[in-house]
Amino acid sequence: MAMLAERSLRPLDMDELENSVLFKGVDLQSVQGLLKESPLLELERLEVLIEAKQSNRFLYLLLKGRLSIRLKLTLDPMAIIGPGEFVGELAVLDGLPTSAYVIADTDCRLLALEEQGLWSLIHHCPTVARNLLFVVSKRLQKGNTLILSGLQLERAYTDFTVLDGLTGVYNRKWLEKMLPRTIERSQTDLSLLLIQINDLETYIEHHGHQAGGYALFTIARTIRTWLEGDENIIRYSNDRFIVILPGTNAYTAQRIATQLRYLISICDVVTLENDVYPPATISVGIALMSRQDTSATLIAAAESSLSDAIFQQLVTRMELEPMVRAEKRHQLNRNVKEVTVEDEDVTVNHEVAVLEVLKIFKKTMSVGKIANELVAIHWDFDNHHPRIVVHEALKTLLGEGVVEQVRGDFGAVQ
């Protein structure tokens, strides 16, 4: 068991065991005395409960939360343990080192049955023995087969050296072997994303090499989670990944790239020690395969897209525009409330509202666009057509000489 910090824990409530597989059909009051010496544990998210290739003397009953079983800390879970289930029994029963890691996917509460206490339960309660035997037999048939097949698969990958050791995704050797085949058999659109981490060296300088490594792992995991079954991610270089998207046109690839940029930008980098670092950010180049493309030309096209400053600015503007417009409309709504008059005998000041639109958006705007912004914040047009109201307001502003100020300070009015 990993070293866990001492915490002040509330005592075991026997009701917490009602859904336990181990105590199914057992009179819980009859075993209460046998459990009173068993320690309770609380884990925080990403704490390691069991380490691979270590001795283990405890069977852990999960009372609350979720655990995952992993061959390596950087690989995806092989199995999930939920409330009422238990883990660690095989090492207790056979005395052999553990075969995998067990990690808290969420905050967890557990009851730890030490080897001697477990055997006392088995001796005094045949139903516990039956339940334990049933679960162990199923796990020997399925769970251990899964672990064995995972180990065999890992060895096969290692033999061909096609996995990146840090991130767990495919490496450049796999790409050189498989991308030509993918291009050759593609009957429909094929898109390729070239993803570069922005200023990775600066990130490492600020937060350290460990944070940089976890940032790479976090980005790879985020991308891999988003991809479909026939889509693949490859670590192409120190700070770059390639994503292969079979059957994906340029428009869909752009949408995927935009979504990945957003997801990664909000995903904190969390270590297994529960240290939290700020998210990294990425830039994305996009290439759509043509019939004449080879692996080299397709990657070159993505590199060209990545280095095209105008294209990257366009992508960024497309992503930020909704947020920027929403913020401006929020500001407009706040400002025009100050000029909204609740007294029905006083005319609503449309001129001031139009002027606020021009001040806030600070760009060339037609009568229709100004009207649209006021409609979006539910401006009261007194049952008149919005464009007519805006047109009349602009005429008034022009007569007062305000439009000339608008043109000089805030942008022309069409």
Side-chain angles (χ1 to χ4, degrees):
M1 180 177 66
M3 295 299 294
L4 304 173
E6 293 292 332
R7 302 183 177 97
S8 177
L9 307 179
R10 60 181 173 84
L12 175 69
D13 184 338
M14 296 305 289
D15 289 341
E16 293 182 274
L17 301 176
E18 283 188 354
N19 296 321
S20 172
V21 176
L22 187 64
F23 293 105
K24 184 177 181 180
V26 176
D27 179 3
L28 295 178
Q29 299 303 319
S30 68
V31 296
Q32 186 172 4
L34 296 174
L35 298 176
K36 65 180 181 180
E37 300 300 328
S38 298
L40 288 163
L41 300 176
E42 286 188 356
L43 305 183
E44 295 180 352
R45 178 177 174 268
L46 297 180
E47 273 194 90
V48 178
L49 176 67
I50 297 176
E51 295 186 1
K53 301 179 182 179
Q54 302 294 322
S55 61
N56 173 55
R57 299 183 298 106
F58 290 88
L59 179 150
Y60 296 99
L61 291 170
L62 182 59
L63 305 176
K64 180 182 178 182
R66 186 178 68 240
L67 301 169
S68 63
I69 300 176
R70 304 168 185 252
L71 282 178
K72 285 187 176 181
L73 296 177
T74 55
L75 295 181
D76 287 339
M78 300 174 52
I80 299 296
I81 303 297
E85 298 181 279
F86 55 84
V87 69
E89 76 288 344
L90 292 177
V92 174
L93 295 176
D94 62 21
L96 296 176
T98 55
S99 56
Y101 291 89
V102 179
I103 301 171
D105 272 6
T106 65
D107 292 348
C108 295
R109 177 174 164 88
L110 306 100
L111 179 67
L113 298 178
E114 195 267 339
E115 182 178 2
Q116 184 176 350
L118 178 61
W119 285 112
S120 295
L121 272 173
I122 292 172
H123 177 73
H124 288 92
C125 186
T127 305
V128 169
R130 182 198 64 195
N131 293 341
L132 180 63
L133 180 61
F134 176 79
V135 173
V136 169
S137 65
K138 293 296 183 183
R139 288 184 176 174
L140 286 174
Q141 293 171 14
K142 296 182 180 180
N144 272 11
T145 300
L146 181 60
I147 291 175
L148 180 59
S149 64
L151 288 170
Q152 291 170 339
L153 183 60
E154 183 185 352
R155 293 191 190 102
Y157 280 143
T158 302
D159 290 341
F160 290 102
T161 61
V162 297
L163 286 187
D164 176 61
L166 176 62
T167 61
V169 302
Y170 291 126
N171 61 18
R172 191 161 180 164
K173 186 171 183 178
W174 182 93
L175 179 73
E176 292 170 353
K177 181 178 180 181
M178 298 303 298
L179 183 55
R181 297 182 184 180
T182 305
I183 292 174
E184 183 179 352
R185 65 171 178 260
S186 290
Q187 301 297 319
T188 56
D189 294 331
L190 172 68
S191 294
L192 185 143
L193 307 183
L194 181 58
I195 296 172
Q196 177 168 313
I197 304 173
N198 297 328
D199 298 323
L200 179 59
E201 291 185 1
T202 303
Y203 189 94
I204 292 173
E205 287 177 5
H206 288 168
H207 306 294
H209 283 279
Q210 182 186 40
Y214 276 102
L216 284 163
F217 171 70
T218 300
I219 290 171
R221 180 188 59 189
T222 302
I223 295 172
R224 183 173 54 188
T225 301
W226 181 256
L227 300 181
E228 301 292 343
D230 60 343
E231 299 167 348
N232 289 295
I233 172 175
I234 303 95
R235 189 175 181 194
Y236 185 61
S237 63
N238 182 49
D239 60 350
R240 289 184 172 187
F241 295 92
I242 280 179
V243 175
I244 302 173
L245 303 171
T248 303
N249 59 30
Y251 173 74
T252 304
Q254 175 67 62
R255 289 181 58 194
I256 292 173
T258 300
Q259 185 67 18
L260 291 177
R261 280 168 56 95
Y262 171 72
L263 290 174
I264 290 168
S265 72
I266 63 172
C267 188
D268 287 336
V269 175
V270 183
T271 72
L272 288 175
E273 292 77 24
N274 219 31
D275 296 323
V276 181
Y277 297 96
T281 61
I282 61 171
S283 297
V284 184
I286 302 174
L288 180 65
M289 184 195 73
S290 67
R291 293 184 178 180
Q292 296 76 30
D293 266 322
T294 64
S295 296
T297 60
L298 189 60
I299 294 173
E303 288 178 334
S304 176
S305 172
L306 184 64
S307 61
D308 186 340
I310 295 177
F311 174 78
Q312 293 301 325
Q313 290 171 7
L314 174 63
V315 171
T316 303
R317 189 162 64 248
M318 288 173 62
E319 293 171 5
L320 294 179
E321 165 119 44
M323 291 186 292
V324 171
R325 180 169 292 276
E327 176 59 30
K328 287 183 176 180
R329 281 182 174 167
H330 175 72
Q331 182 183 352
L332 177 64
N333 188 52
R334 184 177 64 245
N335 289 4
V336 297
K337 280 183 179 179
E338 299 175 2
V339 300
T340 301
V341 181
E342 296 181 357
D343 189 343
E344 295 181 357
D345 295 331
V346 180
T347 303
V348 175
N349 197 331
H350 300 301
E351 291 79 15
V352 177
V354 169
L355 188 58
E356 285 297 328
V357 174
L358 297 172
K359 286 180 179 179
I360 289 172
F361 283 87
K362 296 183 180 179
K363 65 179 184 179
T364 301
M365 300 184 74
S366 66
V367 170
K369 287 183 178 180
I370 296 172
N372 288 342
E373 295 304 332
L374 290 174
V375 168
I377 63 167
H378 307 292
W379 179 254
D380 183 6
F381 289 97
D382 303 327
N383 296 320
H384 298 297
H385 194 286
R387 293 194 180 197
I388 295 176
V389 171
V390 171
H391 180 73
E392 292 299 319
L394 284 170
K395 283 175 60 178
T396 302
L397 291 171
L398 180 62
E400 295 174 354
V402 178
V403 171
E404 296 305 320
Q405 178 188 351
V406 170
R407 283 175 176 159
D409 296 344
F410 312 118
V413 180
Q414 291 179 343

